[in-house]
Structure formats: structure tokens, C-alpha cells
Amino acid sequence: MAIHSITVTVNGSKEYVDVPSNMTLLRMLREKLALTGTKNGCAAGECGACTVLVDGEPVNSCMMLAVEVDGRQVTTVEGLASEGQLSRLQEAFVEHNAVQCGFCTPGVLISAHALLERNPHPTEEETRVALVGNLCRCTGYLRIVQAVQTAADRAALEKEGA
Ligand code: FES
Ligand code: FES
């Protein structure tokens, strides 16, 4: 198996990683960079537990090869908090109890973060559509959607007050 040396920026840090041709981005994050927040649910592009951002776009990292991110920017759930401070979105998830087992949560947060970046004021329906690729087996979607809406409302209020 050929080994490739790639350079990738992960959560703002430049990383130099040697990866086999068949290693997925998901495995590279977990096994090479110890970023285990990103979960392996199905390894088949079905559940969204492995969602990360590549150049700002959500992707299923189980369906992407590590070599494909050479020279690109990757954001994982570990990159959402800043200096130990949860993001507004993460805080809203805590407040709404939008987490039970938490297995889906990293992927849900990444998809919701991407939604709010491109559409700071999503409707409930737009939020549900943005999260359609993220399966949650235990919390149910109501609290998750409410948390996203709360984060959006707070961002708008902060902007008004600024
Ligand atoms: S683990 Fe990638 S979509 Fe399920
Ligand atoms: S919180 Fe358990 S799968 Fe979503």
C-alpha cells in the first residue's frame, strides 16, 4: 500500500501526516491525529456521525479519503470551542438537553454550525433540512432543532446590541 505525505490544516493547526492510499479522512482524524470527537457510526455515508467541514462544507468523513484533504482546511467538533469556551451553538445544546448518548452530537453540531454560517436566521424547516443527513436515535429532533434556533436568535440579539 502506497503511503502519502499530506499537509492539512485541522482546526487551524497545520498537520503533516503520512497516510495509506485507502485511509479515510475519518480514520486519519481519529487514528493519526487523536481527534476522537468525530464518530464512526455506520462507515457507509448513512448516519452523519462522522460529519466534518472540509473547506467550510460538511462532508461525511467516512466517505472521503485522507489524501483528498491534502492542502485543504478541515474543521472537527473539537474546533468549535475556543480556548475551552463552548460556542454559542454548543451552549444552546446543553441548555436544551439536546444530547442523550451524544454519539450523533459532533456531527449534528458540525452540520448546524455550517447551516448558521451560510444562513444565520434559518427557519425551523430549513434547520430540519440541513440536519437531514444526521441521524439521532435517542434525543429526537425537537430539542436539537430548538437549540439551533436559540443559537440563531442569540446571535441576532448580540448583533443588534453590538
Ligand atoms: S459514519 Fe460516516 S455517515 Fe455514518
Ligand atoms: S443523542 Fe444519542 S444518537 Fe443522538
Side-chain angles (χ1 to χ4, degrees):
M1 179 71 59
I3 301 292
H4 306 266
S5 298
I6 67 168
T7 306
V8 54
T9 302
V10 181
N11 300 331
S13 297
K14 199 169 247 196
E15 305 284 356
Y16 304 90
V17 198
D18 292 334
V19 292
S21 306
N22 66 349
M23 177 172 266
T24 62
L25 173 58
L26 172 62
R27 283 190 54 213
M28 183 196 85
L29 292 168
R30 293 180 58 85
E31 297 172 22
K32 296 279 186 178
L33 300 177
L35 292 169
T36 54
T38 304
K39 302 302 182 203
N40 182 4
C42 65
E46 300 287 345
C47 73
C50 65
T51 307
V52 299
L53 302 181
V54 175
D55 294 338
E57 292 297 322
V59 301
N60 289 331
S61 60
C62 71
M63 300 299 288
M64 191 168 201
L65 291 172
V67 290
E68 293 180 83
V69 298
D70 191 15
R72 302 173 77 179
Q73 307 259 353
V74 175
T75 304
T76 70
V77 70
E78 289 90 346
L80 296 186
S82 173
E83 296 175 0
Q85 177 73 40
L86 294 181
S87 69
R88 188 186 293 113
L89 182 62
Q90 288 171 308
E91 282 180 349
F93 269 64
V94 173
E95 280 174 38
H96 282 273
N97 292 321
V99 179
Q100 280 194 40
C101 77
F103 200 81
C104 71
T105 310
V108 172
L109 283 168
I110 289 286
S111 294
H113 174 83
L115 167 68
L116 295 177
E117 287 288 300
R118 69 175 181 272
N119 177 5
H121 310 293
T123 63
E124 180 179 334
E125 189 180 350
E126 287 169 335
T127 302
R128 288 181 181 275
V129 168
L131 298 178
V132 77
N134 295 92
L135 304 185
C136 177
R137 297 180 63 172
C138 47
T139 298
Y141 298 96
L142 182 60
R143 288 167 187 265
I144 291 172
V145 170
Q146 286 173 340
V148 176
Q149 303 276 288
T150 293
D153 290 347
R154 286 200 182 134
L157 277 176
E158 275 176 33
K159 205 170 170 189
E160 276 176 26

